[in-house]
Amino acid sequence: GQKHASKDGIELAVFEAFGEVLSFGFGVAELVLVCLLAVLLVNGLSFVHTVVYDAHKQTLNQDKETKALSLSS
């Protein structure tokens, strides 16, 4: 009886340890996913900023050209 109880105790300990490893694995997977999403968000915001800045810069250049043409007339 004692041997059987000890075997159950070992199986339970192994099962609990395996469960902890799995839960840690899911934690790591979630952490990696959050990091990837953060990188995508930063890249997306950087891209949007670049597009907006370029559009603004182009508008300013057109305004300068329009003013230069009206002054030269």
Side-chain angles (χ1 to χ4, degrees), residues 1-10:
Q2 194 105 20
K3 201 173 193 180
H4 188 269
S6 175
K7 182 181 172 191
D8 287 344
I10 292 171

Side-chain angles (χ1 to χ4, degrees), residues 10-53:
I10 292 171
E11 288 176 354
L12 181 61
V14 168
F15 181 75
E16 286 176 353
F18 185 69
E20 288 177 15
V21 168
L22 278 181
S23 67
F24 176 74
F26 285 125
V28 170
E30 288 170 355
L31 182 63
V32 168
L33 184 61
V34 167
C35 288
L36 286 174
L37 289 175
V39 167
L40 289 174
L41 179 65
V42 168
N43 286 340
L45 290 175
S46 176
F47 175 74
V48 168
H49 176 265
T50 302
V51 169
V52 169
Y53 178 77

